[in-house]
Amino acid sequence: MRGQNLDSIFYPNRIAVIGASDHPNHRGSTVMRNLLGAGCKRPIYPVNSDQESVHGIHAYSRVIELPKIPDLAIVCSDAHQTPAIVAECGAVGIPGMVILSKGFSEIGPEGKALEDQLRNEARRYPRMRVIGPNSYGIVIPRLQLNASFARHTPEPGQLAFISQSKGLCASMLDWAYSDRIGFSYFVSLGNAIDVSFHDLIDYFGNDPETLGLMLYIVSIRDVRAFMSAARAFSQNKPIVAFKSGRFAKSAEAAASHTGVMVGEDAVYDAAFQRAGIVRVSQIDDILDCAELLSRQRTPRGARLGIITNAWEPGVAAVDALLARDGTLASLSADTVRQLDQLFPSNLAHDNPAHMPRNASPEEYAQATRILLKDPHLDVVLIILTPRRLADPTVTADAVGKVAQKSSKPVLAAWMGGQAVQQGIQILNQAGVSAYNTPEHAIRAFMYLISYARNKEILYETPRDIPVSFTPDRNMLREFLRNHPQELLSECESKRLLESYGIPITHPQVAHSAEEAAKIARQIGLPVVLKILSPQITRKHEVQGVALDLATEQCVRVHYERIIANTKKYRPDADIEGVTVQKMVADPTGVELILGMKRDANFGAVIMVGMGGIATQVIYDQVLGLPPLNERLTRRMLESLKAWPLLLGYRGRPAVHIDRLIEIPMRLSYLVADHPEIKELDINPILATSDNAIALDACIRIDREQVGHPSRPYSHLTILP
């Protein structure tokens, strides 16, 4: 299989440089200079039809003339020559290629056509693997192999880096070299006609030299393969990702609240979380975060304890922690007692735990030991400001020795300039991630907690919430196939939801004021009236809703008013009447929105958030990828700012969490079964202390998808 043939690229015995050159400004000269300068001990075959030797090494006119078949070919030739070069390499049996040539899809349609030609040529050779074109190259420090444009070769390390950005590759390699940060592999994907993220994630996941992975992502093509590879990697090793393009310049108009609220970047957030990936928001966090996660133990919880020898940095750490919704631990009574004995003064021994400004290294070590034993703490942060007795270097050594014996992660903020640098190095060598400021340490702590929570999802077995239903899937597919319009009515949408066991109110259609009054009398007052039109989904915007109508006369009056309002605000709309349904209200209930949208890359995405008419004002929502289980659904709800309201707040009862959790789970089954659904809104869901019920619903179907069988679950990123 193609995915198994990457050893030829990352463990080559012989290397050919096609387009090698002596010209100082040619890419072929840069690559030759870097290979030789890094001390690469593999035989190197320059290929250049115009030169007898390149950088003092005998050159060959064509690949076919090489004395032995190389494992890896580095292509530095002009773009228009690359298809023929791939064909020649494939014909002689070269299994690996890295194409540094530029001038393909990145320059426009003409380059795109050339790239398609290159891809088609490469596919003729099933055993060949290709990185690029338009790649910055690859670097494998432990092999002293620098087949890139980088001026320096970084040190060997345990972190692999994969990037879609050539510009970032140059900066990252220079940064890593100056800071003496090592890599196991460094790979620029380029335009990725063959080898992509998922191939490398799988490959590096099985590499014992790689303990963590860094990704710079512009976009992901094969999202299902990416998610599968990332989820497998993250179970044992951390992945840190920076995704560019957080804010879209424009958004396509959508019929539902979900369609408007679910942006591409939010979908990437949901996908990364589901795959166990930690997303960083700043480029300069990539290296720090990857080193932290690969070095530190995964914490059991999110409770942070802080030790400091100065009041102000401790306060800064707490401010930074709370600003990021972190958890400041409460110290146990026994911990406070031991700190009081260690520092018998008027110092505050809560959290942060304050020590004397001139606390000695031994006192630092003892205080660290005390906090690490506290069962109420999961991670400890130690802050030091240099003082006469608090020697940063000696203190670092003392703290590091204590930290090495603990199962809990320890972070440090050694504040200062040159005076603390040796101490930071000592801490890092002892497995304590050390930073120059408390804020930087807190940012790292939150990344550590994010990784722990994402990893928990990968492993956790959900509690069993019984979810049973027997929908007639064939009948429902037939209904969708024969539906004349893209938009289902509220009645039709709710009927589909009810078939999957989602509780609903039951609307009935009235075509006149008298018929509305009759229905109201039959189902029992008070009732709700809503406009019924295939063009109108946001009924409140046309004043097409009347609530809590307690008499038949009110029903008649509001029927006429709703019809008149709709004609005024939407004269183009086809009005079919109104729906009449039982008024359901609970002053202690909470309104939520539940929706689904088809994302261009990740397929079906489910959203849950605060609902009602203020949905887009409050904007408290979170996304998840189906299928959902109990734990994933609960995690989504816990992520909402409104979660405390759901648990009960200031005398209000808690909602029935299990009943509420059932609804997104059931919706995920509906979405999985019906790829015809491209957009769905349930807004609001009323969650109360004894139930959760859908009060309104809107479903939009994809007419192009209806009646066209596709591969099962092809609209889902994660297979059920």
Side-chain angles (χ1 to χ4, degrees):
M1 295 176 61
R2 294 180 67 83
Q4 298 174 341
N5 298 334
L6 292 175
D7 279 348
S8 59
I9 294 177
F10 296 111
Y11 286 92
N13 292 315
R14 300 175 183 83
I15 302 170
V17 181
I18 304 174
S21 173
D22 275 329
H23 193 288
N25 295 326
H26 194 280
R27 66 179 71 92
S29 177
T30 302
V31 171
M32 285 294 297
R33 186 168 57 247
N34 287 342
L35 282 169
L36 298 174
C40 182
K41 294 179 172 55
R42 271 68 177 163
I44 299 172
Y45 303 143
V47 178
N48 187 315
S49 59
D50 298 326
Q51 295 182 222
E52 289 188 5
S53 67
V54 175
H55 287 267
I57 302 175
H58 174 70
Y60 301 86
S61 297
R62 297 178 59 195
V63 171
I64 198 171
E65 298 175 4
L66 298 178
K68 293 186 178 181
I69 297 174
D71 304 284
L72 174 63
I74 311 295
V75 181
C76 306
S77 306
D78 292 339
H80 70 274
Q81 298 175 314
T82 54
I85 290 171
V86 169
E88 189 175 0
C89 289
V92 301
I94 297 177
M97 299 187 70
V98 177
I99 303 177
L100 278 59
S101 312
K102 61 181 181 179
F104 296 91
S105 59
E106 75 276 6
I107 68 169
E110 183 179 346
K112 173 67 165 56
L114 183 61
E115 186 173 302
D116 290 341
Q117 183 183 350
L118 182 66
R119 182 184 290 105
N120 292 334
E121 197 64 55
R123 285 175 177 169
R124 292 177 54 208
Y125 305 98
R127 292 186 58 79
M128 177 188 287
R129 300 311 311 265
V130 179
I131 290 177
N134 192 35
S135 169
Y136 192 78
I138 65 170
V139 183
I140 310 171
R142 71 174 176 273
L143 300 184
Q144 298 174 290
L145 194 160
N146 182 353
S148 77
F149 299 136
R151 294 178 298 170
H152 305 292
T153 302
E155 297 180 0
Q158 297 175 317
L159 300 174
F161 185 87
I162 310 170
S163 176
Q164 284 180 318
S165 165
K166 290 175 66 175
L168 182 65
C169 285
S171 302
M172 187 65 68
L173 282 168
D174 195 54
W175 181 13
Y177 180 79
S178 61
D179 287 356
R180 301 193 66 180
I181 295 171
F183 294 105
S184 56
Y185 303 92
F186 195 102
V187 183
S188 167
L189 284 173
N191 297 1
I193 64 167
D194 174 29
V195 176
S196 193
F197 277 116
H198 64 271
D199 298 292
L200 297 178
I201 294 172
D202 276 337
Y203 186 81
F204 296 150
N206 292 316
D207 176 56
E209 301 292 334
T210 300
L211 299 185
L213 186 56
M214 297 174 284
L215 309 178
Y216 182 92
I217 298 172
V218 177
S219 63
I220 299 172
R221 295 174 187 170
D222 190 340
V223 294
R224 182 177 286 185
F226 174 87
M227 292 292 289
S228 176
R231 282 162 61 85
F233 189 104
S234 296
Q235 289 183 4
N236 301 301
K237 307 174 186 179
I239 302 179
V240 176
F242 179 89
K243 166 69 175 67
S244 61
R246 293 187 68 92
F247 302 100
K249 295 181 180 178
S250 62
E252 181 182 352
S256 68
H257 290 293
T258 306
V260 173
M261 295 168 68
V262 177
E264 177 184 330
D265 192 69
V267 177
Y268 270 98
D269 269 342
F272 288 162
Q273 185 180 92
R274 187 71 179 271
I277 296 172
V278 176
R279 182 176 184 175
V280 299
S281 56
Q282 298 173 216
I283 290 178
D284 59 0
D285 277 351
I286 295 178
L287 282 171
D288 273 353
C289 186
E291 282 201 310
L292 165 73
L293 299 184
S294 63
R295 179 190 298 129
Q296 288 291 356
R297 308 166 186 87
T298 303
R300 295 181 179 177
R303 301 167 299 179
L304 179 67
I306 302 172
I307 302 171
T308 178
N309 70 339
W311 175 267
E312 296 81 2
V315 173
V318 173
D319 286 345
L321 179 70
L322 299 181
R324 291 169 171 80
D325 296 323
T327 302
L328 186 66
S330 297
L331 303 186
S332 69
D334 188 53
T335 295
V336 173
R337 179 185 59 77
Q338 291 183 62
L339 290 173
D340 285 339
Q341 292 176 350
L342 181 62
F343 305 115
S345 66
N346 294 325
L347 292 171
H349 292 148
D350 47 10
N351 194 11
H354 291 91
M355 300 184 296
R357 291 183 178 272
N358 287 318
S360 67
E362 293 76 15
E363 289 173 326
Y364 254 99
Q366 184 59 22
T368 303
R369 195 175 291 111
I370 291 170
L371 259 68
L372 285 171
K373 291 180 179 179
D374 192 323
H376 297 168
L377 304 183
D378 302 301
V379 183
V380 173
L381 168 62
I382 305 162
I383 302 173
L384 176 142
T385 59
R387 300 288 175 176
R388 181 173 56 84
L389 295 180
D391 181 276
T393 303
V394 180
T395 303
D397 184 63
V399 167
K401 289 176 180 176
V402 173
Q404 286 178 319
K405 298 177 182 179
S406 173
S407 61
K408 296 180 180 179
V410 178
L411 308 180
W414 251 229
M415 301 178 64
Q418 191 60 39
V420 301
Q421 293 310 304
Q422 187 177 351
I424 288 177
Q425 291 179 12
I426 291 172
L427 287 166
N428 286 333
Q429 290 168 1
V432 177
S433 298
Y435 306 92
N436 288 111
T437 67
E439 293 86 354
H440 196 171
I442 292 296
R443 198 165 71 210
F445 166 75
M446 294 308 298
Y447 286 136
L448 186 65
I449 297 307
S450 177
Y451 174 61
R453 287 171 174 165
N454 292 350
K455 191 173 179 180
E456 179 182 305
I457 289 179
L458 296 176
Y459 281 103
E460 190 168 37
T461 301
R463 178 170 55 91
D464 183 28
I465 291 182
V467 176
S468 60
F469 51 89
T470 55
D472 188 335
R473 292 176 173 85
N474 291 330
M475 183 195 72
L476 294 174
R477 290 191 184 101
E478 190 67 22
F479 164 71
L480 295 174
R481 183 180 296 114
N482 295 325
H483 197 274
Q485 296 170 329
E486 185 180 80
L487 190 68
L488 304 188
S489 69
E490 179 188 357
C491 298
E492 294 165 333
S493 298
K494 283 185 173 178
R495 197 178 309 136
L496 193 56
L497 297 178
E498 188 178 34
S499 67
Y500 277 77
I502 296 175
I504 62 168
T505 55
H506 294 83
Q508 298 184 43
V509 180
H511 300 286
S512 68
E514 198 56 45
E515 187 178 5
K518 179 181 177 181
I519 293 172
R521 183 169 60 253
Q522 291 172 342
I523 65 176
L525 295 160
V527 296
V528 177
L529 301 187
K530 301 177 187 177
I531 191 65
L532 180 62
S533 169
Q535 287 83 34
I536 298 173
T537 57
R538 301 174 190 172
K539 305 175 184 71
H540 281 283
E541 294 182 2
V542 298
Q543 297 184 18
V545 178
L547 303 174
D548 204 17
L549 304 181
T551 68
E552 292 181 33
Q553 182 59 24
C554 284
V555 172
R556 296 186 185 95
V557 169
H558 280 88
Y559 178 97
E560 301 294 353
R561 186 174 297 168
I562 285 174
I563 298 296
N565 287 341
T566 304
K567 289 180 178 179
K568 173 184 175 182
Y569 290 106
R570 286 293 303 274
D572 60 312
D574 298 322
I575 299 175
E576 299 178 358
V578 304
T579 61
V580 186
Q581 53 198 289
K582 187 73 177 173
M583 177 71 189
V584 177
D586 187 328
T588 66
V590 180
E591 289 188 341
L592 295 104
I593 181 174
L594 178 63
M596 168 265 175
K597 177 185 176 182
R598 186 101 54 79
D599 179 77
N601 292 318
F602 289 90
V605 182
I606 291 177
M607 182 267 283
V608 64
M610 285 298 292
I613 61 174
T615 295
Q616 289 177 251
V617 177
I618 299 175
Y619 205 79
D620 179 17
Q621 50 94 3
V622 64
L623 306 183
L625 299 182
L628 299 177
N629 60 24
E630 181 271 336
R631 181 55 195 153
L632 291 169
T633 305
R634 186 181 182 92
R635 176 83 179 270
M636 291 174 69
L637 293 170
E638 289 173 343
S639 299
L640 295 174
K641 295 182 179 67
W643 175 247
L645 288 178
L646 301 179
L647 296 180
Y649 186 72
R650 291 191 175 180
R652 295 166 64 103
V655 307
H656 198 310
I657 295 294
D658 283 359
R659 291 280 175 85
L660 180 58
I661 286 174
E662 274 191 49
I663 296 181
M665 291 170 63
R666 292 178 181 275
L667 180 66
S668 78
Y669 299 139
L670 168 64
V671 168
D673 285 344
H674 297 285
E676 305 93 341
I677 299 174
K678 72 174 182 180
E679 206 170 294
L680 181 151
D681 253 10
I682 307 175
N683 185 29
I685 293 172
L686 180 63
T688 66
S689 59
D690 59 1
N691 205 358
I693 185 170
L695 303 185
D696 202 354
C698 169
I699 294 177
R700 185 178 292 273
I701 58 177
D702 184 351
R703 299 301 310 171
E704 295 181 1
Q705 186 75 30
V706 172
H708 296 282
S710 58
R711 183 162 49 97
Y713 307 117
S714 61
H715 61 304
L716 303 182
T717 295
I718 300 172
L719 289 177

